[in-house]
Amino acid sequence: MESAVLSRIGLAGLAVMGQNLALNIAEKGFPISVYNRTTSKVDETVSRASDEGSLPVSGHHSPREFVLSIRRPRSIILLVKAGNPVDQTISALLPFLDPGDSIIDGGNEWYELTERRQREAASHGLLYLGMGVSGGEDGARHGPSLMPGGHLQAYKNVEEILVRAAAQVDDGPCVTFVGEGGAGNFVKMVHNGIEYGDMQLIAEAYDVLRSAGGLSNSEIAAVFEEWNRGELESFLVEITADIFCVPDEHSGGELVDKILDKTGMKGTGKWTVQQAAELSIAAPTIAASLDSRYLSGLKDERVAAAEVLKQAGMESGLLSGRSIDKKKLIDDVRQALYASKICSYAQGMNLLRAKSEEKGWNLNLGELARIWKGGCIIRARFLDRIKKAYERNRGLANLIVDPEFAREMVQRQAAWRRVVGLAVEVGISTPGMCASLAYFDTYRRARLPANLVQAQRDYFGAHTYERVDHPGSFHTEWSKIARKTKSGAAGVFN
Ligand code: 6PG
C-alpha cells in the first residue's frame, strides 16, 4: 500500500545542476527523493534543503530505497554526465522500477542515445523523456528553461512540476513538450550552438571596441551595460558587462585580461555543426564560432606564428592607424552585433526545422523561441520578436525575410559593413560577423556565381547543369567547344 510520505518525484545525480534543480522542485512544494552514487552528495543536498527553508527533500543512499520512496507512477529525473553514466544509473534503478514509471534524462545528451534508451525503456513498459535543461546553476535553482521530448505521457505525469519549476516569463512558464523521440535533446543541442554563436559575436564586438576603438575595460563594461537596456538586452550581454568590472586580486587590473585565451567546450556546438552539415543547412556563424574555439586552443602555435610572420615583415598590432570616432564605432558595433545575431538565430531555427521534417517531430519554432525567453543562457529580449515572427508565419523560410527583421537588417547593414570592413582593414579577425554578413549577402542575392561552379562540375565530371531558360538537365562538351572557339577566334584574341 502506498503511504502519504512517498515523494512526488525523484532525482538522481547531485552535482551542481542536479542539486539545484532538486531544491527548486522542493521549493515549489513537490516532495522529492534524491540519490547519488557518491553518498556524501546526498547528505549535502539534504542539509542544503534544511538550510534553505526546510524544503521537502528526502535523501537515499541505495537505489532501491530511493526508487521505492517515490509515488507511482514514478518519475525520476537523471542529471548525470551524458553517455555511459546515464546507462549505468538506469541499470542501477531498473530492477526496482515498475511498468508505467518514467525516466527523464536532463543532461546534454546526444539525441540518438535518448532514442535508443526510449526503445529499451519501452521494452520494460517504462516511459522516457530526454529533457534539455538550460540556465546553469542559478537557472536550475530558481527557474531554468526546460525542453522535454519523448513519451508524451511521461511529460503529462510531471507537467505540473515542470511548469512550476521552470522560469516564468510574461507569456508563461519556459517549458513545453517539444516533440517525440530525441526532440528535447536536439532542441537543447541547437540552443547550445546558438549560444556558441552569441558568445563568439560578443567576443568579436569586444575585440573591435578594444583593439580598434581603444576602449578600456571600464568603458567596455559601460557599453555592454548600455546595450543591455536596448534591443540587445540578454543574459549574455548582461554578464559580459559584469565581467569587465571584476578586478584581479593577484596583480591589479581586471581579471578578464589575465584569463588565458583558450576556449574550452563539451561537444554540443560540434554536434550542431555536424548536424547542420548532415542536413545540408548552412550554419556559417555557428561553424565560425566552433572554428574559433578550435583556433583559440592552438595558443602555442599562434604565439609561434605571430613571431614567424613578424620576421617575414608582418606588422604587429593593428595594420592601419586611421583615426576612429569612438561614439560612432560603438553604435556601429551594436548594430553589427544585432544583425549578426539575427543571421545566427536564423541558421539555428532552420536547422531545427530541417530535423523536424526529417524526424516528423512537428517542432513549433515560435513556441521554442518562447521557452528560451527566460531561464536559459540565450535568453534575450529579441526572442519575443522571433516568437512573433514564427507566429505570423509558421512556414517562414528564414528569419531574415520576416518583414520586421528584414527592415531591421536593411537599416543596420551599412553599420555592419563598416564594422566588418574596419576589422578586415586593420586585421582583427571577426569570423562570426563576417560569416553572418556573407550569409545575408548570399541569401539576399537572386543570382549567385553558382552558375560557374556548375559549369566547372560539368566540364570535368559531366555532372550536368540546369538552364535558366529551359527545363531539363544539360551537358556540354566544354573543352572541345572551347578549343574550337578559341582557335576560330584566334585572330580576335591574338
Ligand atoms: C546551458 C548551457 C550548458 C552548457 C555550457 C557549456 O544551457 O545551461 O548550454 O548546458 O553545458 O554552456 O558548454 P560548452 O562547455 O560546450 O561551452
Side-chain angles (χ1 to χ4, degrees), residues 170-220:
D170 53 352
D171 48 7
C174 293
V175 59
T176 192
F177 179 73
V178 166
E180 289 179 350
N185 293 134
F186 196 90
V187 167
K188 177 63 190 348
M189 178 199 81
V190 175
H191 164 285
N192 283 19
I194 293 173
E195 173 185 302
Y196 277 43
D198 273 354
M199 293 168 83
Q200 174 64 25
L201 292 170
I202 289 173
E204 291 173 17
Y206 151 59
D207 203 7
V208 172
L209 292 177
R210 168 184 67 166
S211 306
L215 272 74
S216 66
N217 286 336
S218 61
E219 286 173 313
I220 295 171

Side-chain angles (χ1 to χ4, degrees), residues 30-325:
F30 302 100
I32 185 165
S33 291
V34 296
Y35 164 75
N36 194 76
R37 216 164 49 132
T38 309
T39 54
S40 59
K41 290 271 173 209
V42 175
D43 303 337
E44 196 181 301
T45 311
V46 171
S47 119
R48 267 188 74 188
S50 118
D51 293 347
E52 294 181 25
S54 304
L55 303 175
V57 173
S58 72
H60 301 273
H61 288 182
S62 89
R64 179 175 184 277
E65 196 199 314
F66 166 64
V67 171
L68 298 184
S69 72
I70 305 162
R71 199 176 88 192
R72 288 174 64 187
R74 304 182 185 93
S75 300
I76 298 180
I77 299 176
L78 309 184
L79 269 163
V80 296
K81 236 169 118 87
N84 282 340
V86 177
D87 290 312
Q88 284 157 10
T89 311
I90 294 174
S91 302
L93 305 178
L94 194 60
F96 315 108
L97 293 171
D98 291 297
D101 291 349
S102 306
I103 295 168
I104 305 167
D105 176 14
N108 278 328
E109 187 55 282
W110 173 236
Y111 81 98
E112 286 180 342
L113 286 184
T114 288
E115 295 188 339
R116 191 253 293 158
R117 291 180 189 127
Q118 270 165 6
R119 289 190 294 272
E120 287 166 5
S123 72
H124 296 279
L126 300 173
L127 306 174
Y128 199 99
L129 288 178
M131 180 171 74
V133 178
S134 177
E137 183 175 352
D138 200 56
R141 179 67 184 84
H142 301 291
S145 175
L146 300 172
M147 296 150 247
H151 293 127
L152 181 59
Q153 187 55 47
Y155 175 70
K156 292 276 170 214
N157 291 349
V158 287
E159 186 173 13
E160 58 165 355
I161 301 175
L162 301 184
V163 158
R164 294 290 313 286
Q168 310 291 321
V169 289
D170 53 352
D171 48 7
C174 293
V175 59
T176 192
F177 179 73
V178 166
E180 289 179 350
N185 293 134
F186 196 90
V187 167
K188 177 63 190 348
M189 178 199 81
V190 175
H191 164 285
N192 283 19
I194 293 173
E195 173 185 302
Y196 277 43
D198 273 354
M199 293 168 83
Q200 174 64 25
L201 292 170
I202 289 173
E204 291 173 17
Y206 151 59
D207 203 7
V208 172
L209 292 177
R210 168 184 67 166
S211 306
L215 272 74
S216 66
N217 286 336
S218 61
E219 286 173 313
I220 295 171
V223 166
F224 276 94
E225 220 171 285
E226 169 68 25
W227 286 354
N228 199 41
R229 287 192 282 272
E231 65 192 9
L232 285 170
E233 184 191 316
S234 58
F235 172 71
L236 286 169
V237 167
E238 181 191 328
I239 66 165
T240 302
D242 281 354
I243 285 169
F244 287 102
C245 298
V246 173
D248 177 33
E249 22 175 68
H250 300 294
S251 49
E254 284 77 36
L255 178 57
V256 69
D257 292 329
K258 305 288 157 44
I259 295 179
L260 185 66
D261 50 332
K262 264 170 116 164
T263 313
M265 74 189 102
K266 297 200 197 72
T268 43
K270 181 172 99 180
W271 291 345
T272 306
V273 174
Q274 285 172 327
Q275 281 294 296
E278 284 293 333
L279 290 154
S280 308
I281 296 296
T285 314
I286 299 173
S289 66
L290 181 70
D291 288 341
S292 295
R293 290 192 182 200
Y294 291 145
L295 284 167
S296 81
L298 306 177
K299 174 73 177 176
D300 295 344
E301 267 184 64
R302 287 188 287 114
V303 170
E307 194 47 44
V308 171
L309 291 166
K310 196 169 142 199
Q311 302 294 328
M314 183 92 196
E315 296 167 42
S316 53
L318 297 189
L319 302 185
S320 84
R322 67 160 141 127
S323 76
I324 303 271
D325 174 344

Side-chain angles (χ1 to χ4, degrees), residues 341-351 390 398-400 439:
K341 258 172 81 98
I342 293 175
C343 290
S344 180
Y345 279 66
Q347 296 159 29
M349 288 305 197
N350 283 1
L351 172 54
Y390 285 109
N398 191 302
L399 266 186
I400 294 171
Y439 181 78

